[in-house]
Amino acid sequence: MTSRLHTSNSSDDSDGGNTDSCKSEDQNVFVHAPIDNLGVPGRWLRHKLLDGILVGSPVLTTIQKYRTPTRTSVMKMISFLGTEDFYTVLFLLLSWGLDARLGRLFGILMGIGFYFAGVLKASLRLPRPEWPYIKPEEKAYDWALPSHHSLLGTILPWYIWVYITVHFNFTPTQLPVMFVLIALWSFSVMFSRLYLGVHSPADIVSGGIIGVIVLSMWVQLDDIVDSFISEQSFEAVLQTVLLMVVLLYLHPKCDPGNPSYTDNCCLAGVVTGLIAARNQRSRLLGFPSLKETLPADTSLTVFVSLIITRLFVGAVVIFVVRTIMKMITLHLTKIAFRMLGLRYYNSSAYMEAGLTMFKHYTKNFKLTPIEMKKASDKEDIDDCSSSDGSYSAPLIECKYFYSDAIKISNDKEICYTTDSWDLVVPTKCIVYFLLTYFALEIVPQLFIYLGI
């Protein structure tokens, strides 16, 4: 099957501009990555990591033989336990119901994990398992190594374990039960990614190793971080905002429709909103969780029913508020871009239109050579070579679009050009900042008013 890592011939957008001209679809080009700029060591590391990804193919083909519709459905449900959607629900459950302090530290750690995984993926730009030998059971729009599911499946479940062993009083019987549940959660999420054919063993192992390093550092710093964000000073919030701006600025650029960068924009908004809510609230202890406010003799049935009620009411309120916030913010962002004369596109619409790069490995996927060629060596050098005569691998930003992107270029929000700005970036930063602040500061007051 022909790889989708190809280029389109030419394009014009609705404003009369054009994208970078690229070569025909059957022309092999190199997939450049930011780490290539480190020279031979960076390119060598990338080649070795790709070897590690491909050597795991027999494992995936063996697993693939044992797929059944029922097993696939179960694995998709398990995989959901490692997504940002599930972690968001868990974050709210912890904050509203079980332990407010654990909730906010969990939220910050989630942002850290997403950032590390996103930066490494965008820096390395390594493919997912080989197509068509491994057939994925779900779509994946970002690069492979390290696995988000693996990294987050290491730091978040096991941080909960570390926290509860220190701050909760479990009996000798309850503690091993909790350990088994945490272990099953963590390792089953990782295995589900292998079963679904969207990650290689190398992706999973690297995510786990990086997760262990991040978690070991976080357990040394969590008390310091909580003390810092609990100081009621505007300077702490301002420092957080500046830190998020710097981190997003340092994040490597992604190909259009790749969710890695926009996911980190969401998490930057979440972390900033979380810190602002903790830092600026009038009561030093903030809004305690349900468990922290109920009498000790409250029955389990009453507690669970109240938790479910809080989650239901809170989810409905947040969904409505999010829809309104997103609509207003997106509209205002478009107006601001037009006033500034900036060309823009919508990466979410781009991805929904099926224009995002195909990220699985094929025979046409070529890494930048370890030893660089000169421009005099014409083989495998295309129109993106530098003008000074030295070889320059074609940048991913100006290559590998689906050819269908040109056919719908009259849609301004889908047509991407190298000088266009993504509407989703400022929208998600603002919306998720306001939404997190609302969820942690306003919604608990609604719970108190409703008596739940």
Side-chain angles (χ1 to χ4, degrees):
M1 178 176 179
T2 304
S3 169
R4 298 187 193 178
L5 292 174
H6 293 313
T7 63
S8 55
N9 297 322
S10 61
S11 68
D12 293 312
D13 67 9
S14 58
D15 291 335
N18 50 50
T19 61
D20 301 85
S21 61
C22 297
K23 302 188 78 175
S24 65
E25 292 193 1
D26 55 8
Q27 170 69 46
N28 293 334
V29 289
F30 298 119
V31 180
H32 179 80
I35 196 172
D36 293 340
N37 297 327
L38 296 179
V40 171
R43 296 190 292 274
W44 177 86
L45 174 63
R46 196 159 169 246
H47 278 258
K48 293 304 178 184
L49 290 174
L50 178 59
D51 290 342
I53 291 173
L54 297 180
V55 79
S57 294
V59 175
L60 299 180
T61 54
T62 301
I63 294 174
Q64 188 172 261
K65 294 177 183 177
Y66 295 94
R67 286 178 183 169
T68 66
T70 301
R71 290 171 186 165
T72 299
S73 298
V74 171
M75 286 299 167
K76 286 184 177 181
M77 288 189 289
I78 293 174
S79 180
F80 175 76
L81 300 181
T83 63
E84 60 270 28
D85 294 329
F86 173 76
Y87 288 133
T88 299
V89 174
L90 183 57
F91 161 63
L92 295 175
L93 173 64
L94 293 173
S95 301
W96 292 342
L98 300 177
D99 188 301
R101 184 173 185 271
L102 173 58
R104 60 178 174 265
L105 292 174
F106 180 93
I108 295 173
L109 181 58
M110 179 169 62
I112 293 172
F114 263 95
Y115 185 81
F116 269 99
V119 167
L120 289 171
K121 282 174 181 271
S123 298
L124 295 170
R125 289 175 178 170
L126 291 169
R128 292 178 180 270
E130 189 172 2
W131 173 272
Y133 306 109
I134 292 90
K135 301 185 185 302
E137 292 291 341
E138 64 178 45
K139 295 180 180 179
Y141 298 104
D142 60 349
W143 297 103
L145 189 150
S147 163
H148 265 104
H149 279 71
S150 180
L151 196 154
L152 295 170
T154 299
I155 63 175
L156 297 180
W158 290 108
Y159 179 65
I160 293 177
W161 165 255
V162 170
Y163 188 94
I164 63 178
T165 55
V166 174
H167 299 280
F168 287 36
N169 294 319
F170 283 102
T171 67
T173 303
Q174 293 171 331
L175 206 56
V177 172
M178 288 298 301
F179 177 85
V180 170
L181 292 175
I182 292 291
L184 284 174
W185 173 17
S186 177
F187 292 112
S188 63
V189 165
M190 297 181 194
F191 178 76
S192 70
R193 307 306 286 169
L194 298 176
Y195 178 94
L196 296 173
V198 291
H199 276 296
S200 68
D203 304 336
I204 301 300
V205 171
S206 61
I209 292 173
I210 296 168
V212 169
I213 296 172
V214 172
L215 179 60
S216 63
M217 296 176 63
W218 176 248
V219 295
Q220 308 299 321
L221 299 172
D222 58 350
D223 289 337
I224 298 173
V225 172
D226 192 55
S227 176
F228 170 74
I229 67 176
S230 299
E231 297 177 3
Q232 293 194 322
S233 63
F234 178 75
E235 288 78 10
V237 178
L238 181 60
Q239 290 171 6
T240 302
V241 173
L242 293 176
L243 175 62
M244 294 302 156
V245 171
V246 171
L247 290 177
L248 291 177
Y249 175 78
L250 294 175
H251 193 294
K253 187 177 179 182
C254 296
D255 52 288
N258 188 321
S260 180
Y261 186 75
T262 53
D263 283 348
N264 277 325
C265 290
C266 291
L267 270 299
V270 168
V271 172
T272 308
L274 183 156
I275 293 175
R278 171 63 178 168
N279 187 276
Q280 295 298 303
R281 56 172 48 123
S282 57
R283 293 186 293 170
L284 182 60
L285 295 179
F287 292 101
S289 66
L290 181 64
K291 184 177 181 298
E292 295 167 303
T293 56
L294 289 176
D297 58 351
T298 302
S299 68
L300 180 62
T301 303
V302 173
F303 176 71
V304 171
S305 63
L306 287 174
I307 284 283
I308 294 174
T309 304
R310 280 195 170 196
L311 284 176
F312 177 77
V313 172
V316 171
V317 172
I318 287 178
F319 176 78
V320 173
V321 172
R322 177 183 176 276
T323 302
I324 297 173
M325 282 184 179
K326 182 178 178 181
M327 181 175 58
I328 295 174
T329 306
L330 186 62
H331 181 68
L332 293 177
T333 302
K334 289 180 184 179
I335 293 176
F337 280 177
R338 289 168 184 164
M339 291 178 62
L340 295 172
L342 299 176
R343 183 175 297 179
Y344 62 83
Y345 82 108
N346 187 322
S347 60
S348 295
Y350 192 97
M351 183 169 61
E352 290 171 1
L355 306 176
T356 308
M357 282 178 54
F358 186 68
K359 298 299 195 299
H360 286 264
Y361 179 84
T362 71
K363 63 180 181 179
N364 290 329
F365 188 97
K366 294 180 180 294
L367 297 184
T368 308
I370 297 176
E371 298 293 337
M372 303 295 277
K373 297 180 180 180
K374 296 297 183 181
S376 57
D377 301 327
K378 298 300 183 181
E379 182 181 2
D380 288 334
I381 297 182
D382 69 1
D383 292 339
C384 287
S385 298
S386 59
S387 58
D388 62 2
S390 61
Y391 174 78
S392 174
L395 295 178
I396 197 76
E397 290 81 15
C398 72
K399 295 292 180 182
Y400 311 126
F401 303 137
Y402 286 171
S403 56
D404 288 343
I406 308 310
K407 299 176 183 177
I408 57 173
S409 61
N410 59 335
D411 187 336
K412 183 178 179 63
E413 291 194 17
I414 295 179
C415 185
Y416 167 83
T417 61
T418 54
D419 63 344
S420 57
W421 294 69
D422 188 359
L423 285 171
V424 173
V425 170
T427 300
K428 286 195 170 183
C429 288
I430 295 170
V431 168
Y432 280 87
F433 166 77
L434 296 174
L435 201 61
T436 304
Y437 186 91
F438 180 86
L440 298 181
E441 186 71 7
I442 308 301
V443 173
Q445 297 185 47
L446 176 62
F447 293 155
I448 295 172
Y449 177 77
L450 296 176
I452 55 173

